[in-house]
Amino acid sequence: MAFGFFAIVLIILALMLLFSVVKIVPQGREFTVEYFGRYTRTLSPGIHFLVPFFERIGRRVNMMEQVLDVPQQEVITKDNAVVKVDGIVFIQVMDAAAAAYRVDNLNYAISQLCMTNLRTVVGSMELDEVLSQRDQINTRLLTTIDHATSPWGVKATRIEIKDLTPPPDITNAMARQMKAERERRAVITEADGEKQAAIAKAEGSKQAAILQAEGRREAAFRDAEAREREAEAEAKATAFVSEAIARGDVNAINYFIAQKYVEAFALLASSPNQKTVIVPADFAGIAGSIAGIGELVKTLGEGHDGPRPGGAGGGAVPRTRG
């Protein structure tokens, strides 16, 4: 009975000794080893054996990248504006021994360090710079925090400003300013559009005037050409009639008199203000004149074509009484 109890005790002690000697470090962790309370070495991921009763595990350090919140705080800017700022910081332990034994409560220390440096950086800038230059704030904070945490075996990989909240009155003023700026841009854009439209309209009027001038010039040229040809025809007719008069042909004179007579009578009949047309009493003179014109034309035709059969040099031209 006593032997069985003794065996159970030995088995329990053997298991306790085994668990205290054999240590398995998981991936992403590192354990520090202490020899009678003094740091001796660091265990990397894998299986390790300790000296029983003399060595023990000191600290279990997380070697993976960690995200820490920076609590929200009120910060006074360079131009005395109060803003609420918070953020996040990404850190990674590079030296497990330094992170375990050079600072107590590593996460709290880094959080407080970020808050103090955030106040320093934001307090050295004006409100407009704070709101528009977040990247510059992040860069300055990262440089400062990384340098301060280097002795702790920690590397700050990234710092981001999560939220910047100005006071309500400043927010309202910014909203009004943004509205005024957008209205100004709208007015400028509208003015530019009207300017372009006016330029296009003026250009169109210019082209239209040029085309109209060219059309008038072409029409004047053609009118002048027509008048020139009409004058040439009139000159030829006058020369021909003059030759006929010189030969003693009275029909030529009758032709001109009848032509003017008919033109005057046509104007009298087509006048818009004339309601009554008076026919001349000697209307038979018109017929005689027309007959004279016919005889003149006939004579001209015989002069060009030669004598016709049935008469030597053509018959006599009958005279009509004017």
Side-chain angles (χ1 to χ4, degrees):
M1 186 72 174
F3 178 78
F5 177 76
F6 182 72
I8 293 174
V9 172
L10 288 178
I11 292 173
I12 293 175
L13 291 175
L15 291 175
M16 292 177 62
L17 180 63
L18 180 64
F19 280 109
S20 63
V21 172
V22 179
K23 296 297 180 181
I24 298 176
V25 181
Q27 186 67 36
R29 299 285 194 278
E30 286 188 359
F31 295 170
T32 61
V33 178
E34 298 176 354
Y35 184 84
F36 287 112
R38 181 174 63 88
Y39 167 76
T40 57
R41 58 196 172 96
T42 301
L43 303 181
S44 58
I47 186 169
H48 299 274
F49 299 94
L50 303 179
V51 178
F53 305 109
F54 295 96
E55 292 182 338
R56 69 181 184 88
I57 298 299
R59 303 289 179 86
R60 292 172 170 82
V61 182
N62 186 356
M63 303 300 293
M64 295 181 290
E65 189 172 6
Q66 304 174 55
V67 182
L68 302 179
D69 283 328
V70 179
Q72 189 180 65
Q73 59 179 330
E74 292 185 350
V75 181
I76 300 176
T77 61
K78 186 177 181 179
D79 52 353
N80 297 323
V82 180
V83 293
K84 294 181 179 180
V85 187
D86 61 355
I88 53 176
V89 56
F90 297 82
I91 62 171
Q92 186 174 11
V93 177
M94 309 302 295
D95 187 350
Y101 298 108
R102 290 189 179 183
V103 61
D104 187 21
N105 199 342
L106 178 64
N107 292 346
Y108 179 76
I110 294 176
S111 176
Q112 294 300 312
L113 184 64
C114 290
M115 291 180 64
T116 55
N117 282 276
L118 186 59
R119 283 196 298 269
T120 302
V121 173
V122 174
S124 64
M125 303 172 67
E126 295 183 355
L127 179 61
D128 291 339
E129 297 176 345
V130 172
L131 296 176
S132 61
Q133 300 181 7
R134 289 196 180 190
D135 292 339
Q136 183 178 354
I137 297 174
N138 295 336
T139 302
R140 293 177 59 181
L141 283 175
L142 180 61
T143 303
T144 304
I145 300 302
D146 187 48
H147 179 73
T149 57
S150 181
W152 301 342
V154 177
K155 179 175 181 57
T157 58
R158 189 163 64 254
I159 296 178
E160 298 289 342
I161 299 299
K162 189 164 60 175
D163 191 17
L164 277 171
T165 307
D169 54 344
I170 295 180
T171 303
N172 295 333
M174 291 171 60
R176 292 194 300 271
Q177 181 181 3
M178 180 183 65
K179 181 179 179 181
E181 179 66 20
R182 292 186 180 276
E183 291 178 351
R184 183 184 69 85
R185 292 181 182 179
V187 171
I188 292 175
T189 303
E190 184 177 359
D192 288 340
E194 293 178 354
K195 176 183 176 182
Q196 295 297 329
I199 292 174
K201 184 177 180 180
E203 187 67 23
S205 300
K206 174 183 175 182
Q207 294 296 330
I210 292 174
L211 293 176
Q212 290 177 1
E214 291 179 353
R216 289 194 299 270
R217 184 183 67 176
E218 183 67 20
F221 176 76
R222 294 186 179 276
D223 290 341
E225 185 178 4
R227 288 195 299 270
E228 181 180 357
R229 292 182 179 179
E230 184 179 359
E232 291 178 355
E234 187 69 21
K236 290 181 180 180
T238 303
F240 181 78
V241 172
S242 297
E243 293 177 358
I245 294 173
R247 292 194 304 267
D249 192 350
V250 183
N251 289 326
I253 300 175
N254 292 335
Y255 167 74
F256 271 99
I257 294 174
Q259 183 183 15
K260 299 300 181 182
Y261 195 86
V262 171
E263 289 178 357
F265 188 73
L267 292 175
L268 180 63
S270 61
S271 176
N273 296 324
Q274 188 69 25
K275 297 182 179 179
T276 303
V277 179
I278 301 175
V279 179
D282 192 10
F283 193 73
I286 299 176
S289 299
I290 294 174
I293 295 172
E295 291 295 336
L296 178 60
V297 174
K298 182 177 179 182
T299 303
L300 293 177
E302 292 175 353
H304 287 286
D305 297 337
R308 295 183 179 178
V317 178
R319 297 182 181 269
T320 58
R321 181 177 297 178

